[in-house]
Amino acid sequence: MADKFLIDGRLVKTSTLVGGHIHDTYVASYLEDGRINTYVHQRINRNVFQDPIRLMDNVSRVVAHVRAKLERSNCVDGNRRVLTLVPDREGKPYYIDKEGEYWRTYRYIDNVVTHDVVTRSLAHVAAAAFGNFVGLLQDLSGPRLHETILNFHNTPKRYQNLCRAIDNDPHNRAETARTEIDFAVARQEMASILTSAQASGELPERIVHNDTKINNVLFDIRSEEALCVIDLDTVMPGLTAYDFADLVRTMTSPSREDECDLNQVYVDLAIFEAVSDGYLGSTRSFLSEQELAFLVPGAIVITYETGIRFLTDYLQGDAYFKVNRPTHNLDRCRNQFKLISSMEAQRNAMEAIVKRAIRRLRWHP
Ligand code: GN1
Ligand code: MG
């Protein structure tokens, strides 16, 4: 890759980065001018992102905007707080190989960790980091960002896809997922909650991250500060409810997204409170009353959406998400559905926590 991207050195070490469900990711170190520099090379998944050039146009604009703002505020350690794209030899933010595959390269950020399960304090700083990131993008100028995946959070469309997969059942798996299918069908009405509120103008479109999974934030290994928001592929127009939802979905349960022991899968209200405080604290200057009102319902909807996406992919033979066992997507689906049950049972308490956070922040800004 060194001869393809603007890297002037000799490869000394390479490894595969696992964790993401979508791209193939490699970490490579090069000896450049007597120093070891490390980069992240990613082969873009074209099954998922069908227009990599537009995708990289978005990413380039987003990182340039965030970087310019960090520089203007003279922030310390700026290079570790936003991703740095390395251009190819022609100056493009991607390189197309002989097979027609698209590659991109970022500078590796040193001394960071990611987490799949978090404590209260990590949840607070991570939620604040995502809110802050979106705040930085609210004044991005120029044309509307491209929709890198059409209908990404269109839950009714996701539900239709599930129905098609159930009807076609190409891998004869529907029988093994009867309980989950019934669970999804029984809740089909919730699918349109966010799309209707957006269509009626209640919820404003904003640039949001759209995939605020806990493992999409890099923490400083020593201070545990949430340093850098990553995975910018779905930064595009959307709803703040989507971002809050994925924070809740991926942080409040004391277990991983594919945990099979469902007793360990539930919304821990203390962590939910930390997420609410962190996110609202960093977004209070621009969130509307309506956006606040849809945070808790949105968390349930997007958890539902994620669950039915896993279920659909299971029925379709695991064509989308990376899996390491045949029931992996079904296990992930069960996990999300258990989380929904926990949210349904604790909904009033969650609403009360959000209201408390709002009061606290408005009273003591
Ligand atoms: C995917 O790429 P990753 O693993 O951060 C997916 C998200 C899902 C998530 C579920 C582009 O995120 O939408 O919520 O898996 N990203 C895409 O774990 O589909
Ligand atoms: Mg990711």
Side-chain angles (χ1 to χ4, degrees):
M1 282 289 137
D3 56 330
K4 312 296 188 245
F5 288 95
L6 214 57
I7 299 173
D8 289 311
R10 175 173 64 81
L11 181 68
V12 287
K13 198 170 127 207
T14 168
S15 63
T16 308
L17 203 72
V18 289
H21 291 350
I22 308 291
H23 306 295
D24 295 318
T25 307
Y26 307 89
V27 178
S29 299
Y30 299 85
L31 185 63
E32 293 182 293
D33 276 342
R35 288 189 47 197
I36 301 278
N37 292 326
T38 306
Y39 298 88
V40 176
H41 302 301
Q42 268 185 325
R43 186 194 295 115
I44 297 174
N45 181 329
R46 281 198 301 139
N47 177 31
V48 173
F49 293 99
Q50 296 181 353
D51 193 338
I53 296 179
R54 288 189 156 182
L55 163 69
M56 292 314 294
D57 182 48
N58 275 9
V59 174
S60 308
R61 286 177 59 197
V62 166
V63 295
H65 183 80
V66 173
R67 177 171 303 273
K69 282 196 143 175
L70 291 176
E71 279 168 8
R72 250 177 278 143
S73 67
N74 286 328
C75 92
V76 198
D77 224 5
N79 275 333
R80 299 176 71 226
R81 293 179 191 276
V82 59
L83 289 173
T84 308
L85 272 169
V86 179
D88 81 338
R89 295 275 161 187
E90 295 169 7
K92 302 195 295 329
Y94 56 85
Y95 165 77
I96 311 174
D97 72 14
K98 283 195 221 58
E99 280 84 48
E101 297 295 337
Y102 286 71
W103 291 81
R104 66 177 167 208
T105 296
Y106 292 112
R107 290 192 81 100
Y108 182 84
I109 300 178
D110 278 321
N111 297 318
V112 290
V113 279
T114 58
H115 295 284
D116 288 299
V117 180
V118 283
T119 57
R120 272 191 72 133
S121 60
L122 287 177
H124 187 279
V125 294
F130 278 113
N132 190 43
F133 176 80
V134 162
L136 290 172
L137 291 173
Q138 293 310 299
D139 63 346
L140 180 75
S141 56
R144 186 173 182 263
L145 288 177
H146 307 290
E147 288 187 47
T148 55
I149 300 180
L150 286 178
N151 295 314
F152 186 58
H153 278 307
N154 185 331
T155 320
K157 279 237 158 63
R158 300 284 190 185
Y159 182 73
Q160 284 166 17
N161 293 345
L162 171 65
C163 292
R164 252 197 314 276
I166 298 168
D167 287 345
N168 298 340
D169 195 16
H171 294 264
N172 296 317
R173 286 177 165 182
E175 213 35 59
T176 59
R178 203 29 69 197
T179 314
E180 290 68 34
I181 290 172
D182 291 346
F183 185 98
V185 172
R187 285 164 180 74
Q188 61 176 289
E189 273 166 17
M190 78 163 69
S192 57
I193 290 176
L194 292 177
T195 46
S196 302
Q198 183 173 16
S200 70
E202 266 179 290
L203 289 178
E205 176 184 286
R206 296 181 186 282
I207 297 173
V208 294
H209 184 281
N210 279 306
D211 188 9
T212 57
K213 272 172 85 163
I214 178 58
N215 62 17
N216 282 335
V217 59
L218 305 180
F219 292 87
D220 184 86
I221 206 163
R222 278 180 289 270
S223 68
E224 300 214 314
E225 181 191 358
L227 258 190
C228 184
V229 165
I230 61 168
D231 200 345
L232 309 178
D233 299 333
T234 51
V235 177
M236 60 178 166
L239 304 178
T240 47
Y242 302 152
D243 280 3
F244 184 76
D246 268 331
L247 297 174
V248 175
R249 186 180 76 71
T250 65
M251 290 195 209
T252 61
S253 179
S255 55
R256 302 168 69 97
E257 195 179 59
D258 57 0
E259 173 63 59
C260 292
D261 175 3
L262 296 182
N263 290 324
Q264 308 209 29
V265 180
Y266 58 90
V267 170
D268 177 325
L269 290 177
I271 299 192
F272 179 75
E273 182 168 35
V275 169
S276 303
D277 279 347
Y279 186 73
L280 293 175
S282 59
T283 52
R284 69 175 166 209
S285 63
F286 60 90
L287 284 197
S288 71
E289 291 295 327
Q290 287 302 333
E291 286 177 287
L292 294 171
F294 275 91
L295 294 179
V296 172
I300 304 180
V301 173
I302 295 301
T303 306
Y304 175 74
E305 180 186 281
T306 310
I308 64 175
R309 289 177 65 195
F310 288 141
L311 181 55
T312 306
D313 201 33
Y314 171 69
L315 296 173
Q316 289 176 335
D318 312 313
Y320 189 95
F321 297 107
K322 289 178 190 276
V323 291
N324 56 32
R325 55 181 183 269
T327 58
H328 207 161
N329 273 316
L330 182 60
D331 295 339
R332 290 173 178 145
C333 162
R334 289 188 172 137
N335 182 305
Q336 297 301 298
F337 286 179
K338 171 67 201 298
L339 214 45
I340 293 175
S341 302
S342 173
M343 290 184 197
E344 288 173 344
Q346 302 189 91
R347 186 175 175 144
N348 291 342
M350 290 168 74
E351 293 282 10
I353 287 170
V354 168
K355 290 213 170 73
R356 260 206 317 274
I358 294 167
R359 272 206 305 275
R360 227 181 356 251
L361 289 162
R362 295 259 154 101
W363 288 351
H364 305 287

